[in-house]
Amino acid sequence: MPPPTQPPSSPDDPEPSSVAREMDDEDLVEELLVTVNSARAFAEFRRTQRKECANLLRWLQLVLPLLEELRDAAPRLTDDAYRRLALLGRALAAARRLLRSCHDGSKIYLALESETVLAKFRSVYEKMHSALDGMPYAELDISDEVKEQVELMNAQLMRCKKGTDTQDMELSMDIMVILQNKEDERNADRAILERLAKKLELQTLAELRAETKAIKKIINERNGQQGDSTKQIINLLNKFKEIAGVDEKNVLGDVSMPRSLDKCPSLMIPNDFLCPITLEIMTDPVIVASGQTYERRSIQKWLDSGERTCTKTRQPLAHLSLAPNYALKNLILQWCEKNMVELQKREPEPAAEQDDKPKEDIPSLVEGLSSLHPDVQRKAVKKIRMLSKESPENRLLIADNGGIPALIGLLACPDKKVQQNTVTSLLNLSIDDKNKLLITRGGAIPLIIEILRNGSPEAQENSAATLFSLSMLDENKAAIGSLGGLAPLVELLRNGTARGKKDAATAIFNLVLTPQNKARATQAGIVPALLRVIDDKGLGMVDEALSIFLLLSSHAACRAEIGTTAFVEKLVRLIKDGTPKNKECALSVLLELGTNSKPLLVHGLRFGLHEDLSKIAKNGTSRAQRKANSLIQLARKC
């Protein structure tokens, strides 16, 4: 009878009696050095992971002296030493893959899946720590200085693999708002998109082009799996392209080769022949004021949308004239003839419908805002509201002609309809950061807060949205809080329309990113208002409410009011029966509360939490698993 088969040892098992050596000792050490040096070659990383990448690079730098001494001494490796260096090699290879992903991977994916990516960093730290823990330095003839350096680094790795979240709450909330908004986008939502595009560095055509390629790579790797996540990534990419003026929605389509060249995919097209907007070979190249060349109808469409910047350089255009680039056109024709390529014939553009109405005289409308006749004011502000939503050019003209001070003057008008149109006009104008400053410095915030208290339902909704838009500037967060903006926002969250509650929650979240406003929100009654939001299942705002609770629970005074046994029981119920996202958020809040108050966590455990934590630790989302494991470790200490 054959002896029973022994299970294979895991990387953390005790040293086996013998180790299979896949390469010579010298080759193993050399491979480790090559891996570290190639990983250190990555210098720039996506903004969402820069801190973790910098930490990982620093630790790779600290490993180098150990490997260099091993290469120079070339000792005969014992089985234990060989095994640990082989484990270190696997950890370093994982680190290199992770750094490459954060260097040139999809920015949208890295933001959406930040928890998953963070878990990968923790996994790399764990692997490095396991490999270095117990390294037989005496057998390897390593100097005391290098040994001390590596052991210190290993202690840091031990702490870091247990680290808490470094999640960008503002970024997460912005993404949540955009993905959950299935209604027609308002300018407040566009402002969130613009902030996201700026934070993720997805504003220029070159950035969007690289992102498109990275997303296509993800789609190919997933091979139809994770459909919902892929749809969210594509949805966000399309939104970023839209606000950048790029008319290219299908990321699955061919973005680098025009159809007329399908039969010769190996042909290398000179980059100068491709339009920076469509990435297709140009048939009618024209030069704009910045000196860049585009396909005529592509850049004309950009300009017709009201844009006045060069899409490639983002610089303002001194004029809008388009000069034919005959020299480049001749070069393209010669190249096509030489390579037997037939240019794709363009279908003629449909004739634009002529608008019989003359263009609105914005200076006259702005003048009408200050008219002594109420009818003139009503008509002017209604038209300004419409024009301010239509295009950036209109918003610029309104601001340049003194529209913002005139509108601020109308905020105190007793006519509810005029108030509504006025505050909505300011909401539209506040998309531009310069206008945010003009609106704030013009004394608009107290008047907007007053409309938030007493205006019509639509005026209240748009007042909340305007405060949110203005609060994107940090200096305005404190100003809105100190001027009493949080109390009416909490009231709107408590008793407003469904849309008003969403606007209020978004504004409150943005405001309580500032510590002073956390206490103000608590004093204004935010806690009972959020509890009502959580209990209203039809509202669908549980995640938003829990995200605000998470911010509040980091403040001692707020935590004292939040930290009740009744609230813990509510969190436990969400952990038991909520959606995957509900569970993630509820676990995060409970971890924050339990870290600061052990009795609260003990109460949750008595309420039946432990079994659910075990299930989530095995089967939950990556973020939920991390939170559940942290709570399990914390519970053991209790």
Side-chain angles (χ1 to χ4, degrees), residues 3-7:
T5 303
Q6 294 296 323

Side-chain angles (χ1 to χ4, degrees), residues 366 393-404 434-435 438:
V366 171
E393 181 184 23
N394 287 346
R395 291 194 286 275
L396 181 63
L397 287 171
I398 292 169
D400 286 349
N401 282 278
I404 289 176
K434 285 199 301 185
N435 289 346
L438 291 173

Side-chain angles (χ1 to χ4, degrees), residues 288 290-292 294 299 302 308-317:
V288 299
S290 64
Q292 301 295 325
Y294 298 89
I299 192 63
W302 169 263
R308 293 296 179 264
T309 57
C310 171
T311 68
K312 194 169 184 180
T313 65
R314 307 298 291 182
Q315 297 301 312
L317 295 173

Side-chain angles (χ1 to χ4, degrees), residues 276-297:
I277 295 178
T278 64
L279 302 182
E280 292 188 357
I281 195 166
M282 290 182 280
T283 58
D284 187 10
V286 294
I287 305 170
V288 299
S290 64
Q292 301 295 325
T293 297
Y294 298 89
E295 175 66 29
R296 180 185 293 275
R297 68 176 184 173

